[in-house]
Amino acid sequence: MAIKPLPKLYNDKYYKRLKDDTRLQIFFGGASSGKSFFIAQRIVLDTLNGRNTLVLRNVARLLRGSCWNEIVKAISKVPYKQWFTISKTEMVITATNNGAQILFSGLDDREKIKSITPANGVLTDIWIEEATETSYDDYKQLEKRLRGESRHPKRITMSFNPVYKEHWIYGQFFGNWQDGATEYHDDGLSILKTTYKDNRFLTADDIYALENEQDEYYRDVYTLGNWGVLGDVIFRNWRTEDLRDFNTDKPLYGLDFGFSSDPAAAVKVHYDRAGKKIYILDELHEKGMTNSQLAESLKPWVGGHYITCDSSEPKSIKELQNLGIRAIGAKKGPDSVMHGIQWLQGHEIIVDVRCQHMKNELQLYQWRKDKDGNSMRVPEDRNNHLIDALRYCLEHESTARYATALNLKGL
């Protein structure tokens, strides 16, 4: 017997998509539009009706705080929650009425993805959350995972905020999309654009924050849900590489403090002075961590090495020292931000493919614009937490060269 949905649980814009069997489905648009939660709701319903779903993000460790939580929350809101067993350790959810499963994995472990198989039947669905974080090659590999006989049509669902038009997703799937449209459909592709106005479950505070966004790019993308046009991006001198087997005996560490609205952000780096290359090997990016929690996360990561921190928080540095972390404050000084940016621009930056937050920052860190839309030589103070940590950990290198240049200039 098919499980029927309860209309009151769904936003109107999404409800008719519950039974959409189009092979590729794209849900994109503004922040807080409800798209991810709807997909989680649909997966819950589909599982009870026999579909097996693989849920993916580019980096596995980001799943628990996003897709996993959304699906568990969606289960808690339906009257059939007793029909699910939830294994938090294995990150597997099983419907007891038919054995269908929801499985979770990161695209940073391709071998694991190749071996993922539901207990009964075959995979019928793949959900790629934050799909703009993934590569075209990853998408093509995932298409091949949907194989085998099933009474259910196979589907890939992608969800994301639309970032910038230069992205491969825009070039690949939005050729027939009309600006101003909210829907597109052909035999193999379904696209739905939504914004906060389509989510009747938002609070007044949520709506106020979105409607009062002043930054033009962020308003366009996150409030209005449009594909953005990136302005003057600060860093173009970077690329990604799989660095999981990269070994260094001289790691450098940097830390930018944060707590509620801003994350604590740390990087592990190898610096190749002769080759003028910076290798970003790992990252830590978490909100809501106390200094004791931060120290626990840093200990196995940093070991006995020094970590250079934002010196504007001497109390936090002292607390980390008391907790066994060899934390020191960055020197900073006049024009240290601009000097650090210019020094970094003179290097090739290679980012490990799993450092998703660093990749996001490098894609979005921009120069501030004046009232006429002209870029100024002043960076926007956003999308820069890990970049600030990167400047701190390399400060001794950049300031040494800077001091030498000044000394030579005075001769």
Side-chain angles (χ1 to χ4, degrees):
M1 180 181 71
I3 306 299
K4 295 183 179 180
L6 298 176
K8 67 179 182 179
L9 298 178
Y10 302 88
N11 279 306
D12 295 340
K13 195 70 175 283
Y14 298 109
Y15 185 70
K16 66 180 181 181
R17 302 280 172 153
L18 282 171
K19 296 182 179 179
D20 188 351
D21 286 332
T22 308
R23 171 77 177 192
L24 174 61
Q25 300 183 27
I26 292 176
F27 293 83
F28 84 105
S32 300
S33 63
K35 52 188 176 294
S36 296
F37 187 61
F38 163 71
I39 296 169
Q41 289 178 303
R42 188 173 75 171
I43 288 172
V44 168
L45 191 66
D46 287 343
T47 308
L48 291 172
N49 286 320
R51 285 183 172 271
N52 290 306
T53 301
L54 174 61
V55 181
L56 297 161
R57 282 197 65 171
N58 199 39
V59 178
R61 65 172 176 261
L62 302 178
L63 277 166
R64 198 176 294 277
S66 55
C67 306
W68 172 268
N69 286 345
E70 293 280 36
I71 290 175
V72 170
K73 184 167 61 177
I75 289 172
S76 72
K77 294 183 180 296
V78 298
Y80 351 95
K81 48 183 170 287
Q82 72 275 12
W83 292 353
F84 287 95
T85 59
I86 299 173
S87 172
K88 190 172 183 179
T89 304
E90 299 295 326
M91 290 191 74
V92 175
I93 297 173
T94 305
T96 57
N97 67 319
N98 56 26
Q101 292 182 314
I102 309 169
L103 310 168
F104 297 79
S105 186
L107 286 163
D108 50 340
D109 192 346
R110 290 190 177 187
E111 292 307 311
K112 179 182 177 183
I113 292 173
K114 290 177 183 177
S115 63
I116 287 179
T117 305
N120 295 317
V122 299
L123 284 176
T124 60
D125 287 80
I126 291 176
W127 174 25
I128 313 170
E129 168 69 321
E130 302 293 356
T132 51
E133 297 176 349
T134 65
S135 70
Y136 177 69
D137 287 343
D138 285 332
Y139 170 76
K140 296 303 289 183
Q141 288 296 322
L142 290 171
E143 278 193 314
K144 299 174 183 177
R145 292 289 293 120
L146 292 179
R147 59 181 183 268
E149 292 186 8
S150 172
R151 63 187 177 89
H152 300 286
K154 309 290 177 48
R155 302 180 303 191
I156 295 180
T157 300
M158 305 168 77
S159 56
F160 54 86
N161 299 119
V163 295
Y164 47 92
K165 283 187 175 179
E166 293 83 356
H167 198 279
W168 71 265
I169 290 177
Y170 185 85
Q172 190 72 22
F173 302 120
F174 282 74
N176 294 320
W177 180 260
Q178 300 296 315
D179 287 341
T182 60
E183 297 188 37
Y184 172 82
H185 198 282
D186 63 31
D187 289 343
L189 173 63
S190 170
I191 303 176
L192 178 66
K193 174 188 173 183
T194 51
T195 70
Y196 71 97
K197 293 181 178 180
D198 298 304
N199 188 356
R200 61 187 172 89
F201 301 110
L202 286 183
T203 67
D205 287 343
D206 296 331
I207 295 170
Y208 179 84
L210 287 161
E211 291 184 340
N212 287 274
E213 174 59 63
Q214 299 301 308
D215 183 279
E216 182 180 354
Y217 172 80
Y218 277 78
R219 180 173 176 77
D220 225 28
V221 171
Y222 293 101
T223 301
L224 303 178
N226 298 322
W227 285 94
V229 178
L230 280 181
D232 197 356
V233 180
I234 293 174
F235 292 107
R236 301 180 186 273
N237 55 315
W238 66 281
R239 61 181 174 84
T240 60
E241 190 175 314
D242 190 337
L243 300 176
R244 76 181 75 198
D245 296 324
F246 189 101
N247 294 314
T248 176
D249 57 355
K250 295 180 179 179
L252 302 172
Y253 298 90
L255 170 65
D256 187 44
F257 290 106
F259 182 66
S260 55
S261 58
D262 293 330
V267 290
K268 177 183 178 181
V269 170
H270 171 78
Y271 179 52
D272 177 1
R273 186 181 296 111
K276 297 197 74 174
K277 293 181 179 181
I278 298 166
Y279 294 86
I280 299 174
L281 305 176
D282 204 354
E283 65 178 28
L284 182 152
H285 188 280
E286 291 287 344
K287 290 183 180 179
M289 295 181 78
T290 64
N291 285 332
S292 60
Q293 291 171 326
L294 179 58
E296 284 301 309
S297 294
L298 290 174
K299 279 177 184 176
W301 205 52
V302 177
H305 295 281
Y306 286 99
I307 183 166
T308 308
C309 311
D310 182 357
S311 55
S312 66
E313 294 202 27
K315 182 180 177 182
S316 292
I317 292 174
K318 184 62 177 174
E319 287 182 8
L320 289 182
Q321 291 171 346
N322 292 339
L323 292 164
I325 303 298
R326 302 182 77 180
I328 57 175
K331 293 184 175 63
K332 294 190 175 182
D335 299 322
S336 62
V337 175
M338 276 304 302
H339 168 66
I341 287 172
Q342 290 169 353
W343 186 84
L344 289 171
Q345 287 175 326
H347 291 73
E348 182 180 11
I349 301 173
I350 301 101
V351 183
D352 185 87
V353 292
R354 289 168 296 282
C355 293
Q356 189 59 54
H357 293 290
M358 176 60 85
K359 291 189 289 183
N360 292 346
E361 289 192 10
L362 290 169
Q363 287 174 341
L364 296 174
Y365 193 36
Q366 300 183 58
W367 299 114
R368 188 181 302 169
K369 293 181 176 60
D370 63 20
K371 60 182 177 61
D372 298 316
N374 301 310
S375 293
M376 302 184 289
R377 297 297 288 177
V378 179
E380 286 279 8
D381 189 19
R382 62 198 310 172
N383 299 308
N384 58 348
H385 305 296
L386 287 163
I387 290 171
D388 284 348
L390 179 63
R391 287 194 298 105
Y392 300 151
C393 79
L394 289 163
E395 184 184 61
H396 68 291
E397 291 286 347
S398 62
T399 54
R401 298 296 178 89
Y402 186 50
T404 301
L406 286 178
N407 291 337
L408 291 171
K409 186 177 179 180
L411 292 176

